[in-house]
Amino acid sequence: MFKQAANVNDLDLRLRQQRLLTRSAELRASLSHSADVIQTPLNLVDSARSGIQWLCRHPVYPTVALGGLVLLKPRRALLWGQRLWGGWLCFQRVRQYLFTPIK
């Protein structure tokens, strides 16, 4: 009697395990399909990050380019410098406004 009940329980467990494995395979396939949608933006972010890391490891190249721009086109360099500085100050103000605790 107990042996028969154990066999039924074992069969139920095996069926449940098979259903769970099937469901897991379906979920993996669904996740893989969903991940394809965001793959392109993630690749762009990775490319930008590796470019920034390269610039941080090789600071001489952007410094030389900036120096050349200042020597060849000083007005344009000054204009862009003012714009960048104004953008940086605006960014700092917005960041301070957003992260100031409300009293």
Side-chain angles (χ1 to χ4, degrees):
M1 185 81 164
F2 292 114
K3 198 170 196 180
Q4 205 172 23
N7 286 339
V8 171
N9 275 344
D10 193 36
L11 182 61
D12 286 342
L13 286 175
R14 286 184 187 174
L15 285 173
R16 184 166 187 250
Q17 180 185 24
Q18 190 61 37
R19 281 191 222 115
L20 287 172
L21 288 172
T22 305
R23 177 72 176 143
S24 178
E26 290 171 358
L27 288 173
R28 275 195 301 277
S30 174
L31 179 64
S32 173
H33 179 68
S34 298
D36 289 342
V37 174
I38 61 170
Q39 190 65 36
T40 302
L42 290 178
N43 286 340
L44 290 173
V45 169
D46 283 342
S47 298
R49 188 185 65 167
S50 53
I52 290 170
Q53 287 175 343
W54 184 87
L55 284 174
C56 289
R57 284 192 306 267
H58 303 93
V60 172
Y61 298 112
T63 304
V64 168
L66 183 62
L69 179 66
V70 168
L71 288 175
L72 296 176
K73 307 230 180 202
R75 282 189 184 174
R76 183 172 290 174
L78 184 61
L79 178 68
W80 277 102
Q82 288 173 341
R83 288 178 182 171
L84 287 171
W85 182 250
W88 175 253
L89 291 177
C90 182
F91 170 74
Q92 291 293 334
R93 279 188 231 122
V94 167
R95 194 176 88 182
Q96 183 180 8
Y97 174 75
L98 289 176
F99 294 112
T100 301
I102 298 174
K103 293 180 181 181

